[in-house]
Amino acid sequence: LGKLQTIQSFDPMEAQRPSRKLACLKSLNASQVRVVEETTSKSHEGFTLIWGPPGTGKSQTLLALLNAIHLRKMSEYHQCLEEIVFQDGPEMTSNTDRWLQAINRAPRILVTAASNAAVDGLFRRVCEQGFLSSQGQRYWPWAFVRLGATVLEDPRDLGMRLKELCKMQLHAVNQEIEEIRQEADLVKAKVSTL
């Protein structure tokens, strides 16, 4: 099988540094992990070209790459939200201003491909598999927007997409309910000690 290649050169010192392995990298081979780590490093500029013959794991690498980018962007977004929430001063006159600032800073990731089928294939994988959090829990991003002509090879594809979007929303709501339950349990425990 061929190996994935990037247009960037590989820094051997990078391999010697300890890296925090994301759960989305565990199923990748060393070449794929290197591509994702190099592309998502803070020092990376420009673009990365992922090339390989059929069957070398390009789609799997792209899914992991999107997962890693999404995790990083959501982490930055949460830090931004904390700054907005705890920010004081005349520039923040109302909660509405704070919410608008938060919405404007929400992360957005653009995915393009040479063919509509490639975009549809990646879209389908994200809908079916979702992403993995840093702790290895499966989650689905908030929303997707698919622009351009969609290749519908099977009329069930549209139904599957709608079903997956509903499943993602339901999963997010259930996750939020569980977090609220955990917070309520903590509050109950604190109240019972009083």
Side-chain angles (χ1 to χ4, degrees):
L1 293 177
K3 286 192 155 200
L4 292 175
Q5 299 175 355
T6 64
I7 59 169
Q8 281 185 227
S9 61
F10 176 68
D11 176 10
M13 294 305 292
E14 182 108 27
Q16 296 172 4
R17 294 184 205 121
S19 74
R20 185 186 70 170
K21 295 291 183 202
L22 297 172
C24 63
L25 302 180
K26 289 186 176 156
S27 64
L28 303 180
N29 66 36
S31 177
Q32 293 167 317
V33 169
R34 191 180 80 226
V35 168
V36 173
E37 287 179 343
E38 286 182 15
T39 304
T40 57
S41 74
K42 296 227 182 226
S43 63
H44 178 73
E45 292 183 15
F47 68 98
T48 298
L49 173 66
I50 298 175
W51 176 90
T56 56
K58 295 179 298 295
S59 296
Q60 185 179 7
T61 304
L62 282 172
L63 185 61
L65 178 59
L66 281 176
N67 192 157
I69 290 171
H70 191 262
L71 285 172
R72 187 184 73 206
K73 290 297 183 185
M74 288 306 292
S75 175
E76 291 169 4
Y77 182 56
H78 283 282
Q79 289 174 351
C80 175
L81 288 179
E82 287 177 10
E83 291 171 11
I84 292 168
V85 168
F86 296 117
Q87 184 178 34
D88 289 326
E91 69 278 356
M92 283 295 161
T93 56
S94 71
N95 283 337
T96 303
D97 291 337
R98 292 174 196 252
W99 280 109
L100 287 174
Q101 190 177 3
I103 290 168
N104 288 334
R105 292 193 180 172
R108 290 162 180 87
I109 300 171
L110 174 66
V111 177
T112 63
S115 71
N116 290 317
V119 173
D120 287 337
L122 191 57
F123 178 82
R124 182 176 291 116
R125 281 178 181 246
V126 173
C127 285
E128 290 171 354
Q129 298 173 21
F131 290 151
L132 293 175
S133 71
S134 358
Q135 294 82 27
Q137 297 171 322
R138 191 157 306 285
Y139 76 96
W140 283 263
W142 293 341
F144 300 101
V145 176
R146 170 69 173 89
L147 301 176
T150 301
V151 178
L152 290 176
E153 298 152 359
D154 186 335
R156 294 174 294 176
D157 283 351
L158 183 58
M160 182 213 54
R161 289 178 187 170
L162 290 173
K163 186 175 167 182
E164 291 301 322
L165 287 172
C166 290
K167 189 189 317 182
M168 287 186 295
Q169 293 299 321
L170 181 61
H171 181 74
V173 168
N174 285 336
Q175 206 169 13
E176 197 169 329
I177 289 171
E178 183 57 34
E179 289 171 9
I180 292 169
R181 281 187 182 141
Q182 290 173 358
E183 286 178 27
D185 289 343
L186 288 173
V187 170
K188 285 179 188 177
K190 286 181 182 178
V191 169
S192 67
T193 61
L194 298 177

